[in-house]
Amino acid sequence: MFVLIPLYQILVVLLVATLSICYGDRDKAKDVYIVYMGSLPEVEYSPTSHHLNILNEVLGESAVTNALVRSYTRSFNAFAARLSDEEQQRIASKKDVLSVFPNRNLQLQTTRSWDFMNLTETAKRNPNVESNVIIGVIDTGIWPESESFSDEGFGPPPKKWKGVCIGGNNFTCNYKLIGAQVYTSGGNTTARDKVGHGSHTASTAAGNNVLDASFYGLAKGNTRGGVSSARIAAYKVAEHLDKAELLNILAAFDDAIADGVDIITISIGMGPTPSDSDPIAIGSYHAMWEAASRIDWKFISKVVLANGKTLFGNAVNSFTLNGTKFPLVYGKAASSNCSDDDARSCDESCLNRNLVEGKILVCDSETGWIAAASSGALGAITTFSHEKAGPSGVPLPSSGLTPENYDVVKSFISSTENVQGTILKSEAIVDTTANLVAHFSSRGPNSISNVDKRSAKYSILSGTSMSRPHAAGAAAYVKTFHPNWSPSAIKSALMTIAWPMNATNEVDGEFAFGAGHINPVKALEPGLVYDASIDDYIIMLCSINISFFSRCPKDISGSAKDLNYPSMQALIESNNSFTVKFPRIVTNVGLANSTYESKVIRDSHIKVSVEPSTLSFETSGEKKSFIVTVSGKGLLASKMATASLVWSDGTHNVRSPIVVYTN
């Protein structure tokens, strides 16, 4: 069986971003390693005793107590210990041990967003069931006094809840925020969120409906979570955005699973990592990637020059200069002792504070406002190559201009004596072209440092960390209507009913936006789902020589592409003819006596056939299998060809993206 059996009832929504920094050794002679041993035996068994025995065999009795850092005993079998390289290798060779890997630090990664996803306040709800859903938030903690987490109108926690509230001094849980635990080290004993990240993700997924929320008057409206009647349990694994230790993340998973949460939401960054060395993969049976698209707020920040010309830019600028014009200074003119490129980009080490203070700094980089703020500038005008990119909060009057508009500013500076201008407070408008993948999504998360020292109840944030709680809230919403659906079925519904996105606006196509933009309400009735069991995932992982969940069965056949997944992709050799087959099974979750016809939309580089091309179901819950065959004469290196398979009964359109690509 699959090692994380309790997680089969939990949907874990995960974003994979960027690995931050390596773990700083507490013990100069030894590093902390995590030893993973698989599932907890069903017989009577003491995990901690077993862990101590292993350490005793390798280290000797006298060294065991100081070596053991933590035992994971509630949901899976693992421990963390301080070991030398030789000691960890000896432990890794033991037959009871599946993997050993070093502890590290990882990096953590709205008023209208749910309306944009069609989950409006008037959407149909199942409030009694929704109130029984528990979302576990593994993040930087939570701010318990926030209106988003008030328990007004809530009854006692669900009976399935087995967790605790150990949030530290002056931290109180309630019937909404039903649990809190702290795993961070360094003397921190409070689950209180000091950086706002955890509170933001928690409120996005399941926060209460709060009236008249805004960021200093911008984007004013009612803020709410996707499932505002759901309960929240906070698991604090990081005090800062770049310091989430693996051993703490694994401990939070261990507790959250045993506590009885239904959905785990985690926005932790990890680069490409072998799965048998990935504690998030170990801790989450169902890891899910979600791209960050932009919502349909667009924040216009205008620059007005002294010659009367008005230029439109993008920024979440909540400051006003009251229309007063101030001197503009180009980064190169305000810098010394550095290269021309660094000077034009407003490198902070180059800027002369005396030439910057009281002026609006003009910079050839997207993040020039950071140096402007720290160097005493009154405002910042920067260039921003992504015209359709999502907004970013700024700590001083700022506007990000397209290259064309930015060149207008530079020409103005070089051709006039009265080099002055002003920046107007942003205006929030509805952007009809917003259904695009943000420039930072997946291919690099938003890494802009926040130097804004103001404190606000609500903020405007963009990034894959913010898209993930939306996916978690959407999954929770579907689960309230289908509590017995597996995580795979819920994911399938969200993927196959997603709004298709325009590939002509995105060079990376499906590798950027996946199946499309999720539509939670429509996902309640998908018609068909691609379901997958624990055993299906084990076979898939073992087919690519990954056995960290359990020992692989003998005689494994098939490949990763055979997993019953709602999308299909395959790597092929360039310039060679190819034929790829994808076996799939769909389950009818709609009406009995229904018939679905297949339709294929493809580009000219490939041929796609479906056998059989018609599926007829006599009952709800019935399964039908089919095979998709993709063939072609060859693709050039670094190219991809795409198609879509749509099963339709005239009411439901169940869409799966298909991609073949060369290395």
Side-chain angles (χ1 to χ4, degrees):
M1 289 297 291
F2 199 88
V3 60
L4 300 182
I5 294 175
L7 264 179
Y8 187 62
Q9 299 302 322
I10 302 173
L11 179 61
V12 180
V13 185
L14 169 68
L15 279 186
V16 181
T18 305
L19 177 64
S20 175
I21 57 177
C22 293
Y23 173 74
D25 192 6
R26 298 179 198 170
D27 186 325
K28 291 183 179 180
K30 298 184 178 183
D31 292 320
V32 174
Y33 287 87
I34 296 171
V35 180
Y36 178 63
M37 302 172 64
S39 60
L40 291 168
E42 296 182 2
V43 298
E44 186 174 344
Y45 169 77
S46 172
T48 303
S49 296
H50 192 182
H51 302 161
L52 291 172
N53 286 338
I54 291 175
L55 290 173
N56 185 32
E57 291 174 7
V58 174
L59 306 180
E61 185 176 355
S62 61
V64 167
T65 302
N66 291 332
L68 183 65
V69 176
R70 183 189 295 273
S71 281
Y72 307 98
T73 62
R74 300 185 68 192
S75 303
F76 42 80
N77 193 3
F79 66 91
R82 294 184 178 89
L83 304 168
S84 67
D85 184 61
E86 179 185 358
E87 290 164 350
Q88 66 91 7
Q89 291 184 42
R90 290 178 60 190
I91 289 178
S93 68
K94 291 185 174 294
K95 66 177 183 179
D96 295 334
V97 175
L98 293 179
S99 61
V100 178
F101 48 90
N103 182 43
R104 288 176 291 176
N105 276 338
L106 299 184
Q107 184 178 26
L108 284 96
Q109 314 281 218
T110 96
T111 55
R112 184 174 166 79
S113 54
W114 287 114
D115 286 344
F116 177 60
M117 294 166 61
N118 203 37
L119 186 54
T120 64
E121 292 188 57
T122 59
K124 67 176 181 178
R125 298 277 178 175
N126 198 344
N128 291 333
V129 177
E130 189 173 305
S131 184
N132 202 45
V133 170
I134 304 170
I135 296 182
V137 182
I138 300 178
D139 213 293
T140 59
I142 199 165
W143 196 266
E145 293 84 9
S146 170
E147 296 170 81
S148 294
F149 313 125
S150 166
D151 67 350
E152 183 177 352
F154 282 81
K159 292 182 179 179
K160 63 184 176 183
W161 173 243
K162 301 179 181 66
V164 295
C165 181
I166 310 176
N169 294 333
N170 300 317
F171 188 103
T172 304
C173 293
N174 55 38
Y175 285 167
K176 170 71 173 181
L177 174 59
I178 60 176
Q181 293 196 61
V182 185
Y183 303 91
T184 53
S185 56
N188 176 61
T189 58
T190 178
R192 189 174 295 278
D193 181 13
K194 297 181 180 179
V195 295
H197 193 276
S199 299
H200 198 104
T201 55
S203 62
T204 299
N208 295 327
N209 189 347
V210 179
L211 304 179
D212 295 326
S214 71
F215 179 65
Y216 293 97
L218 286 179
K220 188 174 183 179
N222 299 343
T223 184
R224 57 187 171 85
V227 279
S228 55
S229 295
R231 317 301 178 110
I232 295 172
Y235 301 86
K236 183 174 181 176
V237 297
E239 188 74 12
H240 306 288
L241 295 181
D242 60 349
K243 293 184 178 180
E245 290 188 66
L246 299 192
L247 68 92
N248 295 331
I249 295 169
L250 204 56
F253 269 110
D254 189 29
D255 284 334
I257 296 164
D259 288 346
V261 305
D262 298 289
I263 291 178
I264 294 175
T265 169
I266 175 171
S267 294
I268 303 292
M270 194 155 190
T273 303
S275 295
D276 58 0
S277 301
D278 182 354
I280 301 178
I282 291 172
S284 56
Y285 153 67
H286 204 75
M288 183 178 184
W289 180 85
E290 285 291 338
S293 67
R294 299 183 299 119
I295 67 168
D296 58 346
W297 276 128
K298 187 171 184 179
F299 296 90
I300 303 298
S301 184
K302 299 175 183 176
V303 172
V304 181
L305 302 178
N307 62 6
K309 186 176 289 292
T310 298
L311 304 172
F312 288 74
N314 295 310
V316 181
N317 170 35
S318 62
F319 300 89
T320 179
L321 295 176
N322 298 315
T324 304
K325 292 179 173 61
F326 294 91
L328 307 182
V329 58
Y330 186 36
K332 185 177 180 180
S335 301
S336 58
N337 301 321
C338 61
S339 68
D340 283 351
D341 285 344
D342 287 343
R344 287 192 294 265
S345 298
C346 300
D347 186 289
E348 189 172 352
S349 63
C350 303
L351 291 173
N352 183 332
R353 190 179 185 91
N354 293 328
L355 299 177
V356 171
E357 286 183 337
K359 299 177 182 178
I360 297 175
L361 187 61
V362 179
C363 306
D364 283 8
S365 69
E366 296 181 2
T367 58
W369 53 266
I370 298 176
S374 60
S375 300
L378 192 66
I381 298 173
T382 63
T383 182
F384 205 81
S385 59
H386 306 280
E387 182 179 0
K388 301 294 186 181
S392 300
V394 289
L396 79 172
S398 302
S399 183
L401 302 179
T402 63
E404 294 77 12
N405 283 345
Y406 184 73
D407 286 343
V408 172
V409 175
K410 290 206 297 184
S411 296
F412 171 71
I413 292 175
S414 62
S415 63
T416 182
E417 295 182 358
N418 183 26
V419 186
Q420 290 191 333
T422 191
I423 302 170
L424 305 185
K425 184 177 180 179
S426 292
E427 304 169 30
I429 64 173
V430 174
D431 181 10
T432 58
T433 66
N435 201 6
L436 299 173
V437 177
H439 72 283
F440 50 75
S441 178
S442 174
R443 296 144 299 184
N446 191 348
S447 59
I448 297 173
S449 302
N450 187 356
V451 296
D452 192 347
K453 302 303 181 183
R454 296 175 298 168
S455 177
K457 287 185 177 182
Y458 296 93
S459 185
I460 299 168
L461 301 179
S462 59
T464 42
S465 284
M466 298 306 116
S467 72
R468 194 229 30 80
H470 284 92
Y477 176 73
V478 174
K479 186 176 178 65
T480 62
F481 287 88
H482 302 287
N484 296 321
W485 278 12
S486 71
S488 294
I490 293 175
K491 177 169 65 173
S492 174
L494 290 170
M495 290 176 64
T496 58
I497 304 299
W499 295 316
M501 298 179 74
N502 189 347
T504 60
N505 294 324
E506 177 49 64
V507 66
D508 294 318
E510 283 77 0
F511 286 128
F513 53 69
H517 205 284
I518 58 176
N519 185 341
V521 174
K522 198 172 181 180
L524 296 180
E525 299 178 3
L528 304 175
V529 295
Y530 293 79
D531 208 350
S533 68
I534 293 172
D535 290 338
D536 292 329
Y537 274 91
I538 286 182
I539 292 172
M540 183 273 290
L541 291 166
C542 289
S543 73
I544 55 177
N545 299 316
I546 296 175
S547 60
F548 62 90
F549 285 131
S550 64
R551 303 294 180 187
C552 285
K554 295 180 179 179
D555 303 322
I556 287 292
S557 61
S559 64
K561 69 177 178 56
D562 298 334
L563 179 68
N564 199 42
Y565 201 73
S567 65
M568 304 166 211
Q569 70 172 42
L571 173 65
I572 60 174
E573 292 185 9
S574 59
N575 301 310
N576 289 337
S577 296
F578 62 90
T579 298
V580 184
K581 294 183 181 292
F582 298 94
R584 291 294 186 268
I585 299 172
V586 287
T587 304
N588 179 27
V589 293
L591 298 176
N593 300 315
S594 56
T595 298
Y596 286 80
E597 300 285 344
S598 64
K599 178 182 179 181
V600 172
I601 304 168
R602 62 177 178 85
D603 66 30
S604 60
H605 297 93
I606 55 175
K607 295 180 179 180
V608 181
S609 64
V610 184
E611 181 62 36
S613 60
T614 301
L615 301 177
S616 296
F617 300 89
E618 296 181 357
T619 62
S620 180
E622 186 178 357
K623 298 178 183 292
K624 292 286 184 179
S625 61
F626 61 93
I627 295 177
V628 177
T629 302
V630 182
S631 59
K633 293 184 178 180
L635 294 176
L636 298 176
S638 302
K639 296 296 183 181
M640 59 187 288
T642 64
S644 293
L645 166 63
V646 180
W647 288 106
S648 178
D649 65 350
T651 301
H652 306 95
N653 293 295
V654 186
R655 177 181 171 274
S656 293
I658 302 170
V659 179
V660 290
Y661 62 100
T662 57
N663 196 350

